[in-house]
Amino acid sequence: MLRLTARERLAELETRQRKSSNEIDAARISVQLRYAAVVQDLSVETRTERELRELRQLSIQRGGAAAIAALKPPLPPKMPGKKSKPPR
């Protein structure tokens, strides 16, 4: 087995580092696209950009469930004496 010179070893390590960096970038983009698809299903058009930024911060601080709950539209109030139909 040939021993690599310091220069060859450095070049090999730099190549591995670039490859790892590219894989990290691809994984980050994949995750961002998945979450962007989730956001498309939410009623964000009724929110301001500031509210969405605050929701993002909330999701980081408190967890995703709290932020998603804040995005969901409120349930209509129940009328006394009327039975509600189960969702289809």
Side-chain angles (χ1 to χ4, degrees):
M1 183 172 189
L2 294 174
R3 268 189 86 107
L4 298 177
T5 66
R7 180 178 286 167
E8 292 169 335
R9 182 159 163 43
L10 177 61
E12 182 181 323
L13 289 171
E14 286 175 341
T15 302
R16 278 196 235 160
Q17 184 180 25
R18 275 192 300 277
K19 184 178 177 185
S20 293
S21 179
N22 290 342
E23 289 178 16
I24 289 170
D25 290 342
R28 181 176 288 120
I29 289 170
S30 173
V31 169
Q32 289 172 346
L33 291 174
R34 285 185 64 197
Y35 284 115
V38 170
V39 171
Q40 288 177 352
D41 295 338
L42 301 173
S43 61
V44 295
E45 65 274 358
T46 60
R47 310 288 183 193
T48 65
E49 185 175 341
R50 182 177 180 181
E51 288 174 325
L52 290 173
R53 289 182 187 278
E54 289 174 2
L55 286 168
R56 181 190 64 196
Q57 189 63 32
L58 174 67
S59 68
I60 292 169
Q61 292 174 345
R62 304 253 172 109
I68 297 300
L71 278 173
K72 289 185 178 178
L75 296 174
K78 290 186 177 181
M79 300 293 281
K82 286 191 173 185
K83 293 183 179 179
S84 61
K85 294 182 181 178
R88 293 183 180 184

